[in-house]
Amino acid sequence: MYINDLINRVNKLYPSEYSALEMYQWCDEVSAMLAVEDRQIYREIILSYLPQILLPEGVGFEYITNVYAVSGGREYELTKRDWRTIPYHGRNLLEVLPGCDRLRIVYAMPYTPLRVIIYEGAIELDKTNNTIHIIDNEFMPGDTLVIKISDNEYIENVHVLASAADPDDLRSTFLTINDGALDGASVTEITSGKIQRVVTDKTLCDAPYDVMYIDYILAMIAKFQHDTAGYNQHISSFNSRLAAYRRWLVDKLPYDDAKFINYW
């Protein structure tokens, strides 16, 4: 289910004073829990050996599951241990594994929160070249935008195709967008405009378990409204759906072979 669709359902079921931004944060709480505890996604990178290894952005040491050193066409798994206690403390890895030329690192992907981006400031629209010129850009290719020109004028369905830094101002960026997106704009220079990314993300679980997001949002609304009975009702429903989803995952996700140690 799309995140925006479930928020619309929440607003119809129980209108409240809480904004979509706050509900996005509650959706992040559910997605982060599922991503870390139940739906881990693993990636691997192969790096040429250097005295210091740079991990992908946002990947801490705790996310690493396996490290393999490639030496002479063979891989040697390195034990994840405290640097202060390992036998080759202070020694270069090349001294420990002669011929080691690269490392293969397997790691769990950390959860990335929903990108709720709102830009407010000066905007320049170029209808001829289909570009938008803004400062301090956070938008990425693939994003869908809504541009607010004035209180009564909006431009929707603006798709970012590419971005390039302004050679005359490193803080500024040119966003290339889809043809004709700016045709209806009444002005091209906006002193104080607003651009918002449309959240197009989905829940991390599919139907019928995606309803747990709605249960959680309703529980949080009741919690902050000091409605204890409502909170208990919705959080109980959330926990029930979460448990059912975890039972379903047990039969679907792969597992490593079991090993017995000191068993005879």
Side-chain angles (χ1 to χ4, degrees):
M1 184 188 307
Y2 286 100
I3 297 293
N4 281 339
D5 288 342
L6 73 87
I7 289 179
N8 289 335
R9 290 182 61 179
V10 168
N11 289 330
K12 290 179 180 179
L13 290 171
Y14 193 84
S16 69
E17 67 274 25
Y18 296 100
S19 65
L21 180 60
E22 292 162 317
M23 295 185 189
Y24 287 145
Q25 295 172 345
W26 291 330
C27 289
D28 272 332
E29 293 178 12
V30 178
S31 295
M33 179 185 62
L34 294 177
V36 173
E37 298 180 5
D38 304 295
R39 290 291 303 272
Q40 298 92 341
I41 299 176
Y42 295 93
R43 296 284 187 270
E44 72 172 20
I45 55 173
I46 298 178
L47 302 172
S48 298
Y49 174 72
L50 296 171
Q52 293 181 341
I53 301 300
L54 298 179
L55 298 174
E57 184 177 358
V59 178
F61 184 78
E62 64 274 13
Y63 290 97
I64 297 176
T65 59
N66 305 89
V67 178
Y68 302 92
V70 181
S71 176
R74 299 182 61 183
E75 286 190 344
Y76 301 87
E77 184 171 4
L78 305 181
T79 304
K80 188 176 181 179
R81 297 176 60 183
D82 191 323
W83 178 257
R84 298 168 295 180
T85 62
I86 54 180
Y88 46 88
H89 172 57
R91 297 170 60 191
N92 190 296
L93 183 59
L94 289 176
E95 299 175 3
V96 181
L97 293 174
C100 173
D101 55 4
R102 61 186 184 276
L103 295 177
R104 184 167 68 90
I105 300 177
V106 181
Y107 61 94
M109 286 283 293
Y111 174 70
T112 302
L114 294 172
R115 294 176 52 248
V116 182
I117 303 173
I118 300 176
Y119 168 86
E120 293 182 294
I123 305 172
E124 295 182 10
L125 307 178
D126 187 336
K127 298 182 179 181
T128 303
N129 297 314
N130 294 309
T131 61
I132 302 173
H133 186 240
I134 59 176
I135 302 174
D136 296 332
N137 170 59
E138 296 183 70
F139 302 111
M140 300 170 54
D143 286 347
T144 300
L145 312 178
V146 174
I147 304 175
K148 179 183 178 181
I149 296 179
S150 65
D151 291 339
N152 300 318
E153 185 176 356
Y154 292 84
I155 304 176
E156 299 180 337
N157 299 319
V158 179
H159 306 292
V160 180
L161 305 180
S163 64
D166 184 347
D168 299 325
D169 182 1
L170 296 181
R171 285 189 56 192
S172 300
T173 302
F174 288 100
L175 298 176
T176 302
I177 60 175
N178 50 307
D179 293 341
L182 304 176
D183 289 347
S186 60
V187 295
T188 57
E189 293 190 8
I190 308 168
T191 304
S192 180
K194 181 177 179 180
I195 304 177
Q196 182 168 354
R197 175 184 180 263
V198 178
V199 176
T200 56
D201 306 72
K202 292 184 177 181
T203 58
L204 288 192
C205 56
D206 296 325
Y209 309 105
D210 52 2
V211 184
M212 75 172 73
Y213 283 78
I214 296 178
D215 293 327
Y216 188 81
I217 293 176
L218 291 175
M220 291 299 102
I221 293 175
K223 175 183 177 180
F224 292 110
Q225 289 180 339
H226 306 289
D227 180 2
T228 303
Y231 172 79
N232 290 335
Q233 175 185 354
H234 292 301
I235 205 65
S236 176
S237 179
F238 168 77
N239 289 329
S240 177
R241 296 183 195 277
L242 177 60
Y245 178 62
R246 286 173 170 169
R247 288 194 299 269
W248 179 80
L249 281 178
V250 167
D251 296 330
K252 306 301 179 182
L253 295 182
Y255 292 90
D256 293 333
D257 294 335
K259 298 179 181 179
F260 293 96
I261 299 177
N262 296 332
Y263 177 82
W264 62 89

